[in-house]
Amino acid sequence: MTTHKVSKMEKKPILILLLLASASIIAQKHQKLTSNQLYEKIQKLNFLGSAMYIAAHPDDENTRLIAYLANEKKARTAYLSLTRGDGGQNLIGSEMRELLGVIRTQELLAARGVDGGEQRFTRANDFGYSKHSDETFTIWDKEKILSDVVWAIRTFKPDVIINRFNHRTPGTTHGHHTASAMMSYEAFDLAGDSKKYPEQLTFVDTWQPKSLFYNLSWWSYGSREKFEKVDKSAWLTFDIGVYYPLKGVSNNELASIASSQHLCQGFGRLTVRGTQQEYVEFLKGTYPPDKEDIFSGIDTSWNRVVGGKAIGKILYDVEKNFDFTNPAKHLKELLQAYEKIKVLKNNHWRSIKLKEIKEIIQGALGLYIEGSATSSSTTPNNEFTVNFELLNRGDISVALESIELLPQKKKISKGITLSENNKKTFKETFVLNNTVPYSTPYWLDQPWGLGMYQVPNQKLIGDPETEKKTKVIYNFTIGGSLISFTKPIIYRYSKRDKGEIYEPFEVLPIVTTKLAEKVLIFSKDSPRKIKVQVRAGKNKSRGVVRLEAPKNWKVSPTELPFDIAQKNDIQTVEFLVTPTKKESEGKLKAKAIINDKVYDKELVEINHAHIPKQRVLLPSAAKVVRLNLKKEGNHIGYIQGSGDAVPDALRQIGYKVSEIDIQNITQESLEVFDAIVVGIRAYNTKPLLQFKQKYLLAYVEGGGNLIVQYNTYRRVDVKPPFPLTLSRDRVTDENAAVSFLAKDHNILNYPNKITQNDFDGWVQERGLYFPNTWSDEYTPILSMHDVGETSKKGSLLVAKYGKGNYIYTGLSFFRELPAGVPGAYKLFVNLLSSKSE
């Protein structure tokens, strides 16, 4: 079925300011659809076909192809990302690991809000760069993740699946990439086999997609020149540069804006436009008869479902004769189609199309529905108030019969008639019972491992985020039809300098606790005061706080009281913690007790302008390390790059750390520091730094220590005093053997003796983007390599320059220090204390 084109569309090329860059933020708002958007939604309503794009990480997806399928073909289109990108870097803040995964999840949702796709995941944890799929499958539980891919196919039911990567070439790209393609290739057949993962069939049916493809591009062949010479005659080809008059942009412009949502990865980019070819190679299933239409040979019309012919007769006419100036004109036909969709026997398409047509009916009416709480959160068994606003801007009879609060299912009769453009408001006070779960990312509810998140509820697996539990069902009579709309409660407020702001409405614990530092390094056996913050989730919160310590560590006193009058206020209490005399490590755990109930969670708030505010509940704990550490110097200057937590880690061990404003660097301003550290990717992200390099080198020449941490190798000049070349060399195995190349060098001996044991317990990797060539002035200190590779000697290079030391290191201190790895602290202190040889 080909969607109808109408000449009216040509006459109304209204440039829509794309929701786009703020798509994720406005997801909390009532959608205010233009007539152009309504028309596009009707086109989509009349297309019964689905596609799934599969890859490994946020930013792996081809937004051009996703946008093309969703907007030109009008297909339901999903991106299945095996991971949430938890193992990557963060250019916009200090959040790492699971918190970075929360940010990247929201950036993916923002991208899908632009390109028109939907988002899915598996339980795979992104443990960092992997050089081969064999290594990947030693860390991921392949069988469980494969079952998740099958689950995604069975729940979404795609007609076609497209892989981003090649399943036939392991070892040529990131191991996660190849693994995603390999599992997709296998799952294509398994999804239709009732003997595979039968436990899923309690909730879904088997599903056999029609075709599987591989999305090729020039980088698949190493260069554009090689790609031009490839015989493409058997491939499917699409011009994804198509222009959308209703949007005022082309598909590739839309795709550029979508990929620019990945801001924490530095994916902000210029938009592109014009003809652009996209290619897919057929892998298995049924080859489409038309190489320019991936859905050819598949019935994507309403005839696809029993009872659909009558629906199509109504809706194709609405599409053909759509009135852009008065969409409400079509409400009678839309309501007729709605009643017929309600009784479709095909559960899958009935559910999808009911949701779509209800959104169109609401938009055609201009029906505004909003329930805004008077605060951003509540606690179980506590009252909260919601202000309701309803407005019907159509000329058809509308009445709100009742509302129903979820999850309590408390129904309240209303009987409010909504006359045209006459706003109705009211308020209700609710109480949630104690069984309502807290608002937090569901995949972080259970303890997780290096390669897998634990999600015991099968129906949650793959969902992009935790469904909001506090919702309201609005039961309307519209033109004689009973229609219910379910909307989450939100929190809407304004600030003078920002205007109207929307936030999610959350269910949080009565009280949360937080240890001020996540890693506590004790370099002596003397006691330290440790602060615990107690935050109230409701007014008049009283109880006690306890701090549990590892074996042979001591905490005094046993407990401390707290009494907080106002919700969201914080009270800080102090315990005295005494470590062991010998080196040891463990966990401090903070617990608040109210009426014998224990609250052991910390509330982490993530608040970046381009995504909705996120609240994450994690165990309230800190790693403690008793470490015999010697150091020299006191005042460290730190130049932040893309952002890391190394400065806080150095403060933990007694250094005074001053973060240096690059703009204010002069030769005199650097003389106060005993050492200067340049943060990760600083030369990649701070162009001004190159112009200040002469002052940094003068500081070294005069006797200072300059430690430069890793930068990516492309389009960057770190301007070292002597030549060195950055590369893609990295050691991803955090347990890889380390050899000492310069055993007598002071960096391995002063002021702390570095041994092999100091490379135990490292996390995620040894290091990345090592130099692979350097001049004779540098001394390589360490050698290491992944299995099957040659030794990499560029992880730590030291050169005497004048009276001081220039040190370049790709070792991942930015991961190890915040994780409290003892040996990494020892080695980094030696870098800071280094003497010229």
Side-chain angles (χ1 to χ4, degrees):
M1 157 75 193
T2 302
T3 53
H4 298 283
K5 307 284 183 179
V6 295
S7 58
K8 286 182 181 179
M9 187 175 84
E10 306 286 329
K11 297 175 183 176
K12 297 178 179 288
I14 301 171
L15 175 60
I16 299 175
L17 287 176
L18 296 169
L19 319 170
L20 304 183
S22 59
S24 183
I25 296 175
I26 67 171
Q28 302 299 323
K29 294 185 180 182
H30 167 87
Q31 280 198 322
K32 302 164 186 175
L33 299 173
T34 67
S35 58
N36 285 24
Q37 291 168 314
L38 282 171
Y39 177 73
E40 289 182 301
K41 287 184 179 296
I42 290 169
Q43 289 180 307
K44 205 170 186 74
L45 181 65
N46 283 335
F47 190 91
L48 280 71
S50 302
M52 178 174 282
Y53 197 89
I54 298 181
H57 310 105
D59 84 4
D60 284 345
E61 78 272 29
N62 183 344
T63 54
R64 298 183 304 274
L65 192 48
I66 291 173
Y68 176 84
L69 294 170
N71 294 278
E72 173 64 13
K73 304 304 295 183
K74 308 302 179 186
R76 272 182 82 233
T77 308
Y79 173 43
L80 173 61
S81 176
L82 265 59
T83 76
R84 297 175 185 268
D86 331 70
Q89 283 84 50
N90 183 0
L91 296 183
I92 61 171
S94 59
E95 298 92 349
M96 299 299 290
R97 291 300 307 150
E98 66 277 358
L99 295 180
L100 178 59
V102 173
I103 293 174
R104 290 190 170 184
T105 294
Q106 291 300 317
E107 289 182 341
L108 275 171
L109 289 171
R112 300 295 79 75
V114 173
D115 61 32
E118 301 177 32
Q119 187 61 50
R120 297 287 189 276
F121 293 97
T122 74
R123 289 171 290 175
N125 190 346
D126 178 3
F127 56 83
Y129 191 85
S130 176
K131 293 179 177 177
H132 200 285
S133 53
D134 289 348
E135 179 199 35
T136 297
F137 289 133
T138 64
I139 298 174
W140 284 355
D141 187 326
K142 180 184 176 183
E143 189 62 23
K144 288 182 179 178
I145 298 175
L146 181 59
S147 77
D148 291 356
V149 178
V150 170
W151 171 256
I153 294 171
R154 287 174 173 174
T155 52
F156 192 77
K157 301 189 185 316
D159 297 305
V160 297
I161 295 176
I162 305 169
N163 292 345
R164 179 55 160 168
F165 300 106
N166 194 343
H167 67 285
R168 299 159 293 198
T169 55
T172 60
T173 182
H174 197 318
H176 298 179
H177 292 170
T178 310
S180 71
M182 293 169 73
M183 285 192 280
S184 173
Y185 191 85
E186 197 172 344
F188 180 85
D189 297 316
L190 297 181
D193 187 346
S194 61
K195 295 179 182 178
K196 300 298 183 182
Y197 312 113
E199 69 280 2
Q200 297 179 3
L201 301 181
T202 303
F203 310 104
V204 294
D205 298 323
T206 59
W207 179 255
Q208 183 56 61
K210 298 294 190 296
S211 308
L212 177 67
F213 302 91
Y214 164 42
N215 182 200
L216 303 103
S217 63
W218 67 263
W219 49 259
S220 308
Y221 289 82
S223 70
R224 296 182 188 276
E225 291 74 22
K226 290 180 181 178
F227 189 60
E228 288 299 320
K229 298 175 183 177
V230 175
D231 180 9
K232 306 178 181 66
S233 60
W235 299 351
L236 275 69
T237 306
F238 320 113
D239 180 1
I240 52 82
V242 61
Y243 177 65
Y244 301 129
L246 289 170
K247 299 180 187 296
V249 295
S250 60
N251 186 80
N252 34 15
E253 287 176 285
L254 202 65
S256 300
I257 297 167
S259 63
S260 288
Q261 303 307 305
H262 296 297
L263 294 183
C264 74
Q265 301 185 70
F267 263 58
R269 55 185 288 198
L270 291 171
T271 55
V272 296
R273 54 204 61 81
T275 295
Q276 191 173 4
Q277 297 301 311
E278 198 70 50
Y279 305 94
V280 296
E281 175 191 2
F282 174 76
L283 296 179
K284 65 164 73 171
T286 303
Y287 192 95
D290 182 352
K291 289 195 295 184
E292 293 184 358
D293 183 1
I294 203 166
F295 288 100
S296 61
I298 300 170
D299 187 355
T300 57
S301 73
W302 276 105
N303 293 334
R304 180 170 191 165
V305 294
V306 175
K309 185 175 182 179
I311 298 169
K313 185 177 180 180
I314 298 169
L315 292 178
Y316 294 142
D317 188 64
V318 171
E319 179 182 343
K320 182 179 180 180
N321 299 292
F322 187 74
D323 190 332
F324 285 87
T325 60
N326 181 25
K329 170 184 174 181
H330 304 290
L331 279 168
K332 180 180 177 181
E333 291 81 7
L334 291 170
L335 290 169
Q336 288 174 354
Y338 165 74
E339 293 293 343
K340 293 182 181 297
I341 292 172
K342 276 202 308 184
V343 297
L344 283 176
K345 293 182 179 179
N346 186 307
N347 294 335
H348 176 70
W349 285 113
R350 183 180 69 239
S351 174
I352 292 166
K353 295 305 176 182
L354 271 178
K355 181 180 178 181
E356 290 178 358
I357 197 167
K358 282 163 58 169
E359 186 179 24
I360 292 168
I361 290 169
Q362 183 183 350
L365 269 172
L367 180 60
Y368 189 93
I369 307 170
E370 185 176 89
S372 175
T374 54
S375 67
S376 63
S377 67
T378 189
T379 60
N381 205 31
N382 192 37
E383 285 189 347
F384 66 97
T385 300
V386 179
N387 293 314
F388 291 92
E389 180 181 347
L390 303 169
L391 179 62
N392 168 30
R393 287 170 282 202
D395 59 1
I396 192 172
S397 63
V398 177
L400 177 66
E401 306 296 348
S402 63
I403 62 172
E404 188 174 348
L405 176 69
L406 297 178
Q408 322 276 90
K409 297 186 178 179
K410 178 183 178 182
K411 196 168 187 177
I412 303 172
S413 296
K414 283 298 171 187
I416 299 174
T417 299
L418 300 178
S419 55
E420 184 177 359
N421 213 30
N422 185 12
K423 182 173 71 174
K424 298 290 186 181
T425 60
F426 61 92
K427 66 173 60 177
E428 296 287 349
T429 298
F430 302 107
V431 178
L432 296 177
N433 62 38
N434 288 324
T435 62
V436 178
Y438 297 136
S439 303
T440 191
Y442 71 87
W443 63 96
L444 301 179
D445 263 350
Q446 303 288 327
W448 58 89
L450 177 63
M452 288 287 295
Y453 288 110
Q454 304 303 316
V455 182
N457 184 344
Q458 177 68 51
K459 291 196 290 186
L460 285 179
I461 292 172
D463 286 358
E465 57 184 344
T466 303
E467 182 184 12
K468 301 303 177 188
K469 300 299 181 184
T470 49
K471 296 182 178 182
V472 174
I473 300 174
Y474 301 82
N475 298 308
F476 285 94
T477 301
I478 300 175
S481 291
L482 297 175
I483 302 182
S484 296
F485 300 96
T486 302
K487 308 284 183 182
I489 295 171
I490 51 86
Y491 175 51
R492 178 170 67 106
Y493 64 104
S494 66
K495 284 188 175 181
R496 290 187 177 184
D497 59 337
K498 293 183 179 178
E500 187 175 61
I501 299 171
Y502 279 74
E503 288 184 10
F505 179 69
E506 313 283 25
V507 181
L508 300 174
I510 291 174
V511 65
T512 55
T513 60
K514 178 182 179 180
L515 285 140
E517 291 86 23
K518 292 298 161 223
V519 174
L520 296 155
I521 307 295
F522 288 73
S523 56
K524 300 177 181 178
D525 61 6
S526 53
R528 281 171 56 183
K529 290 181 179 180
I530 302 300
K531 295 180 179 180
V532 179
Q533 297 176 355
V534 185
R535 177 172 177 164
K538 71 170 189 174
N539 295 339
K540 298 179 181 178
S541 297
R542 300 183 185 91
V544 296
V545 185
R546 295 174 186 161
L547 192 59
E548 294 182 358
K551 185 179 180 181
N552 296 326
W553 290 60
K554 296 179 181 178
V555 176
S556 178
T558 306
E559 64 182 34
L560 289 167
F562 66 87
D563 188 347
I564 307 175
Q566 294 293 323
K567 176 180 177 179
N568 292 328
D569 201 1
I570 294 173
Q571 182 178 333
T572 301
V573 298
E574 285 188 350
F575 292 90
L576 198 64
V577 175
T578 305
T580 55
K581 292 187 179 296
K582 295 182 179 180
E583 290 191 347
S584 65
E585 56 185 278
K587 289 278 188 181
L588 281 181
K589 299 178 181 178
K591 296 182 178 181
I593 297 97
I594 300 177
N595 297 328
D596 296 325
K597 185 169 181 179
V598 176
Y599 297 89
D600 59 358
K601 298 295 185 184
E602 174 190 348
L603 175 63
V604 180
E605 295 186 330
I606 302 174
N607 203 3
H608 294 289
H610 68 301
I611 60 173
K613 186 174 184 178
Q614 299 295 299
R615 293 180 175 91
V616 184
L617 294 170
L618 296 174
S620 183
K623 183 176 182 179
V624 287
V625 179
R626 169 70 178 95
L627 179 63
N628 291 320
L629 192 65
K630 300 174 184 177
K631 66 184 181 69
E632 281 205 1
N634 177 54
H635 195 186
I636 308 299
Y638 202 90
I639 300 173
Q640 277 286 11
S642 62
D644 59 63
V646 171
D648 289 336
L650 297 180
R651 293 183 184 106
Q652 272 289 314
I653 53 177
Y655 284 109
K656 176 184 177 182
V657 182
S658 299
E659 297 197 26
I660 299 172
D661 184 344
I662 297 174
Q663 198 161 8
N664 296 331
I665 290 177
T666 64
Q667 189 165 341
E668 293 74 22
S669 70
L670 302 180
E671 292 175 356
V672 299
F673 299 117
D674 297 313
I676 295 173
V677 182
V678 180
I680 61 173
R681 299 176 72 168
Y683 292 90
N684 293 118
T685 59
K686 304 291 173 64
L688 182 61
L689 186 56
Q690 294 200 17
F691 300 101
K692 299 291 185 176
Q693 185 74 357
K694 59 185 177 182
Y695 300 122
L696 293 173
L697 293 182
Y699 167 80
V700 178
E701 197 170 19
N705 274 348
L706 177 65
I707 297 101
V708 179
Q709 297 182 84
Y710 94 92
N711 290 266
T712 57
Y713 73 105
R714 290 180 179 173
R715 297 182 294 277
V716 66
D717 182 1
V718 298
K719 292 190 177 297
F722 310 109
L724 61 78
T725 305
L726 302 185
S727 73
R728 297 188 65 181
D729 285 355
R730 62 201 303 161
V731 176
T732 61
D733 182 357
E734 63 268 34
N735 300 308
V738 177
S739 299
F740 296 170
L741 298 175
K743 294 181 181 179
D744 296 329
H745 198 284
N746 68 71
I747 276 182
L748 295 179
N749 294 279
Y750 183 84
N752 302 286
K753 180 70 175 178
I754 303 300
T755 70
Q756 292 291 340
N757 293 339
D758 291 314
F759 290 92
D760 293 343
W762 283 49
V763 298
Q764 187 157 326
E765 62 199 352
R766 288 293 189 205
L768 62 172
Y769 295 108
F770 300 162
N772 62 356
T773 62
W774 50 86
S775 66
D776 292 341
E777 286 84 358
Y778 293 98
T779 300
I781 305 296
L782 305 171
S783 174
M784 59 193 72
H785 63 88
D786 284 319
V787 175
E789 294 192 353
T790 58
S791 293
K792 305 294 183 286
K793 299 179 180 181
S795 64
L796 179 56
L797 301 175
V798 185
K800 182 179 179 182
Y801 181 65
K803 297 178 181 179
N805 289 310
Y806 178 89
I807 301 171
Y808 191 93
T809 180
L811 293 171
S812 59
F813 289 110
F814 73 103
R815 296 195 190 281
E816 312 312 320
L817 299 186
V821 178
Y825 273 91
K826 282 186 179 181
L827 182 56
F828 204 83
V829 166
N830 282 14
L831 302 186
L832 296 172
S833 307
S834 182
K835 303 288 187 182
S836 292
E837 293 281 290

